Amino acid sequence: MRPLESHVEISSHVWMYNRLRELLIREGMVAQGSDEDDVKAAIGEWLEMVARARKVH
């Protein structure tokens, strides 16, 4: 773990996770009542999508 990461409060990470989950729900990539495994899979798909988009631009 890099030094800066050890100083970021876990609440910041939880906030970011919740915001990403909300985005995935809003975009239809995961359903509102999905379990954690579904959310993790959707996050993986989202990361791949963003990585592909960065290569194009």
Side-chain angles (χ1 to χ4, degrees):
M1 187 178 298
R2 294 184 305 227
L4 181 60
E5 292 173 347
S6 65
H7 295 286
V8 176
E9 292 186 30
I10 193 68
S11 60
S12 297
H13 294 280
V14 171
W15 178 86
M16 183 166 293
Y17 172 83
N18 289 335
R19 293 293 296 149
L20 179 54
R21 188 175 185 280
E22 290 171 11
L23 171 71
L24 296 172
I25 291 169
R26 189 171 58 245
E27 294 296 320
M29 296 180 74
V30 69
Q32 179 71 36
S34 296
D35 63 13
E36 291 301 312
D37 289 334
D38 290 337
V39 174
K40 288 178 187 177
I43 288 172
E45 293 172 15
W46 176 80
L47 284 171
E48 290 177 17
M49 178 184 70
V50 171
R52 282 192 309 269
R54 285 186 66 204
K55 288 179 184 176
V56 171
H57 291 90

